[in-house]
Amino acid sequence: MDGSTGASHYPVIVLGGGTMGLAAAWDLGKRGIPALVLEQFGIVHDRGSHSGQTRVIRHAYAESPEYVPLVRRADDLFVALEAETGNHVLHRTGGLDLAGPGHDHARLARLSAETWAVPFEWLDGAEVRHRYPAWTVPDDWEACFSPLSGFLHVDATLSSLAAAARQRGVEIRPHEAARSWHADGAGIRVETDDATYTADHLIVTAGAWAGQILAGCGLPLTVLRKVLWWFAVEDPAPFRAERFPVFISESDAGHVYGFPLDAETFGQGLKLAEHSGGELADPDTLDRNATDDEASLVAGFAATCLGGVTTRIERRAVCMYTMTPDQDFIIDRHPERSNVTFGAGFSGHGFKFATAVGELLVNLALDPAATPPPFLSLERFAVAAVEP
Ligand SMILES: Cc1cc2nc3c(=O)[nH]c(=O)nc-3n(C[C@H](O)[C@H](O)[C@H](O)COP(=O)(O)OP(=O)(O)OC[C@H]3O[C@@H](n4cnc5c(N)ncnc54)[C@H](O)[C@@H]3O)c2cc1C
């Protein structure tokens, strides 16, 4: 707040206090920048892209080796966040990247691991069954086991980021939606129902609302409705973390991923979900009710590949992916307003990178010489558009 003018002026305003916005807030706090974060809902809520308690973190990254340095940096920063706050956010259970015959997910994970010397073990289906008795996959399945993988507790992570940012002087205002923003050479103006704020820089981290907030950029974003399921198991023992690492699997049953039963989620069932698929959605009119028949693909996967998972659904949650055409994120400056930086299109796999993304967004906002990694830049779509 700039008391001399009576206006609320900040060096940086962050529009959207969800996953990436709170990570940017912590980074701003560490740099001693008294920023403002505006969030339309509460801090940690179930209306955006971070609902459902847990998120997988993987380092042997099948999507592309280019993500490995980013997840390593994020991992270091999650560990630093734990040290700063005393909260446990990263649960390192190890992880399996599995593939059925004719699918290459496990090999792509291995390629990333080999490229960046990420520790891994290569297993066939028989070895998977031997080590992890809940699994019933045939011998011809392949798996890349990475001991660094695990899951992040969403509530603990985001609450810790918010607390650490506030502790360092960042102002976070929940339940205050940005209704409009304006940028010109003189700076930024953001309007809410309660106030008008000005700033030198704006960072937009609006998740599924990014397409609306950044309408002038023509970002190639689509929003998908996704459902998470918690199934009752016959016996919890084979699904505890010591015997059941996090996993993501590609097979004829689609891309399915899941989590062990852990102390905090135990009793709610085994969390499984489909990474592939999803219906087009609008974040303002999202259907938040999920019917049992929508669980059929995941239930079918469990019946084929896992032993002891019942068809009784203990819990369900609806969430949104914001997709880009190539499923890589867009982290860049606004093409016409260099004082506006944004992170969008996290395509259903952004959470594990949050702390590194927050740092990158702040670098782009504060350092005119900073550039995003080319595979995450907005420019890659412009380049693709002029190719024949
Ligand atoms: C079902 C599901 C499973 C997933 N699993 C994984 C996983 O296992 N591993 C992984 O790495 N990633 C996973 N992801 C992806 C990851 O959760 C997302 O990429 C990440 O949470 C996106 O962060 P975000 O900040 O863009 O969105 P959000 O966390 O939703 O934050 C955006 C925020 O902006 C706020 N906002 C929007 N408009 C305004 C406005 N006008 N004014 C104020 N505030 C506003 C919203 O309220 C919201 O809080 C999953 C996602 C889903 C949906």
Side-chain angles (χ1 to χ4, degrees):
M1 167 93 77
D2 179 346
S4 60
T5 63
S8 297
H9 185 86
Y10 298 83
V12 179
I13 293 176
V14 179
L15 194 169
T19 312
M20 305 305 170
L22 292 173
W26 181 45
D27 191 81
L28 287 159
K30 285 189 287 183
R31 297 183 203 217
I33 295 170
L36 170 69
V37 180
L38 294 171
E39 167 53 45
Q40 62 182 343
F41 303 128
I43 299 308
V44 189
H45 59 82
D46 61 3
R47 314 276 295 276
S49 297
H50 59 257
S51 56
Q53 271 187 335
T54 47
R55 292 292 185 264
V56 174
I57 179 167
R58 301 175 272 125
H59 303 67
Y61 215 59
E63 286 82 344
S64 165
E66 290 182 289
Y67 281 101
V68 177
L70 201 64
V71 75
R72 279 184 163 158
R73 178 64 183 154
D75 189 313
D76 286 348
L77 290 169
F78 286 124
V79 172
L81 179 67
E82 290 187 328
E84 183 167 329
T85 60
N87 298 333
H88 189 22
V89 305
L90 201 172
H91 299 245
R92 228 180 273 281
T93 62
L96 286 168
D97 286 89
L98 299 123
H103 296 274
D104 56 6
H105 178 84
R107 286 165 192 244
L108 292 172
R110 181 175 65 182
L111 176 66
S112 255
E114 287 170 344
T115 305
W116 288 100
V118 173
F120 75 95
E121 288 177 81
W122 188 245
L123 312 176
D124 62 15
E127 187 61 20
V128 170
R129 294 195 309 274
H130 175 69
R131 291 190 188 189
Y132 310 113
W135 284 96
T136 58
V137 290
D139 292 0
D140 56 1
W141 277 52
E142 295 174 328
C144 180
F145 172 78
S146 168
L148 294 177
S149 297
F151 66 86
L152 293 150
H153 229 280
V154 171
D155 197 334
T157 304
L158 299 190
S159 302
S160 298
L161 288 169
R166 281 181 165 137
Q167 183 70 29
R168 290 169 175 273
V170 174
E171 189 179 336
I172 302 177
R173 299 183 73 90
H175 306 291
E176 188 166 345
R179 298 296 177 202
S180 66
W181 64 270
H182 175 80
D184 59 27
I188 304 290
R189 193 176 72 246
V190 179
E191 278 163 11
T192 72
D193 291 340
D194 301 333
T196 298
Y197 304 100
T198 59
D200 302 323
H201 301 273
L202 178 66
I203 296 178
V204 179
T205 46
W209 289 265
Q212 298 172 15
I213 306 276
L214 296 164
C217 294
L219 298 181
L221 302 176
T222 48
V223 176
L224 297 180
R225 174 179 174 276
K226 304 293 295 183
V227 188
L228 299 157
W229 307 96
W230 284 258
F231 291 89
V233 295
E234 288 164 5
D235 172 13
F239 294 102
R240 293 229 165 90
E242 317 80 73
R243 317 214 63 193
F244 192 75
V246 295
F247 76 90
I248 179 160
S249 156
E250 185 191 22
S251 70
D252 292 345
H255 258 101
V256 176
Y257 62 96
F259 299 78
L261 297 171
D262 80 323
E264 286 167 72
T265 57
F266 178 70
Q268 299 184 328
L270 183 74
K271 180 181 166 188
L272 300 173
E274 184 193 357
H275 182 54
S276 41
E279 305 149 15
L280 283 177
D282 177 325
D284 294 320
T285 57
L286 181 72
D287 179 2
R288 296 183 186 278
N289 298 308
T291 56
D292 285 4
D293 48 326
E294 292 184 71
S296 59
L297 182 140
V298 173
F301 170 86
T304 312
C305 299
L306 297 169
V309 183
T310 76
T311 53
R312 198 171 79 237
I313 297 166
E314 301 278 22
R315 196 184 150 201
R316 64 200 76 197
V318 174
C319 192
M320 289 176 285
Y321 282 5
T322 308
M323 308 299 291
T324 65
D326 56 13
Q327 301 185 23
D328 291 324
F329 319 148
I330 313 176
I331 300 173
D332 213 329
R333 295 189 188 85
H334 189 290
E336 285 154 18
R337 298 285 174 220
S338 59
N339 48 0
V340 179
T341 302
F342 66 92
F346 290 97
S347 301
H349 64 123
F351 200 95
K352 66 183 75 60
F353 302 98
T355 43
V357 168
E359 182 177 66
L360 179 55
L361 285 166
V362 177
N363 284 344
L364 290 173
L366 300 186
D367 177 2
T371 53
F375 80 109
L376 303 180
S377 72
L378 179 59
E379 200 172 79
R380 73 188 190 271
F381 296 112
V383 170
V386 296
E387 279 173 2

